[in-house]
Amino acid sequence: ALEFLLKDYGHSLASHQIKLHQYSKVESVDELVVSLSHTSPNLAAAVVGKTEFFKSVGIDLEKGDRKMKINSGHHFLNDRDDPELHSDLLRGWCKKEAAFKAWAPFWDQDQEGKPLVLKDLDIRGKHFYKRGSDVELGFVELIETDYLGQGLYITLAWTLT
């Protein structure tokens, strides 16, 4: 998926030539930020943004019928997340995953004293925040679609320049 998007932006790289830096930049392609996702069987998605508009992007792709363990939400949701995400764990997972990918390039593990985890981000409406803060970090949007009869959730997150 990324190979085709890069070609749209004038970069003809074969998939074996694409090397990612911090999961969000393609080596030697400084003007773009990228994110990748996949789900079985054999579905993948990529999103690309121009750095003149986006500091980062994140994407998550999930089959709409994916089963979440009933009590799994406590691993990735927290009390400041939208209440609807607690009742629809797959939506919660998708939004957290995309926001995580968009924010991960900016997380300073040394300064924060720990690695970034999904619970470090709050999802409220179409925005995401550092846990416990009201300072908006970026945007997140979940899209429901259908591909060959399979329901899919495609979730995008981004931070602006």
Side-chain angles (χ1 to χ4, degrees):
L2 182 56
E3 181 181 344
F4 295 110
L5 285 174
L6 290 173
K7 188 175 274 189
D8 285 347
Y9 285 93
H11 298 280
S12 294
L13 296 170
S15 53
H16 71 276
Q17 296 173 304
I18 298 171
K19 304 223 182 317
L20 292 181
H21 176 68
Q22 290 186 326
Y23 303 102
S24 64
K25 300 281 285 177
V26 176
E27 286 185 12
S28 77
V29 183
D30 294 333
E31 75 276 13
L32 300 175
V33 288
V34 304
S35 183
L36 305 171
S37 187
H38 66 89
T39 190
S40 63
N42 306 323
L43 293 173
V47 63
V48 172
K50 287 186 154 195
T51 55
E52 67 184 286
F53 305 111
F54 299 97
K55 286 198 305 188
S56 67
V57 293
I59 189 168
D60 188 47
L61 173 67
E62 300 290 344
K63 294 186 335 186
D65 62 357
R66 177 180 171 185
K67 303 294 183 221
M68 301 289 292
K69 291 184 179 174
I70 204 148
N71 292 321
S72 62
H74 75 278
H75 291 293
F76 58 92
L77 295 173
N78 60 62
D79 58 350
R80 292 198 48 153
D81 287 318
D82 276 342
E84 74 169 36
L85 302 180
H86 291 269
S87 59
D88 188 340
L89 294 178
L90 183 55
R91 284 177 180 273
W93 174 262
C94 293
K95 286 185 170 189
K96 285 284 186 138
E97 184 75 9
F100 176 92
K101 290 177 181 180
W103 192 246
F106 308 111
W107 185 265
D108 185 335
Q109 184 171 328
D110 293 331
Q111 181 179 334
E112 298 292 341
K114 65 184 212 58
L116 179 65
V117 296
L118 296 177
K119 287 184 88 159
D120 289 324
L121 299 172
D122 295 337
I123 305 292
R124 298 195 301 274
K126 294 186 177 195
H127 306 277
F128 66 93
Y129 306 80
K130 186 175 177 183
R131 185 174 185 179
S133 169
D134 289 325
V135 177
E136 180 184 296
L137 300 176
F139 304 87
V140 62
E141 179 75 29
L142 186 143
I143 302 158
E144 290 184 61
T145 190
D146 181 86
Y147 178 71
L148 300 176
Q150 171 68 61
L152 295 175
Y153 289 175
I154 301 171
T155 309
L156 302 171
W158 62 95
T159 60
L160 299 175
T161 54

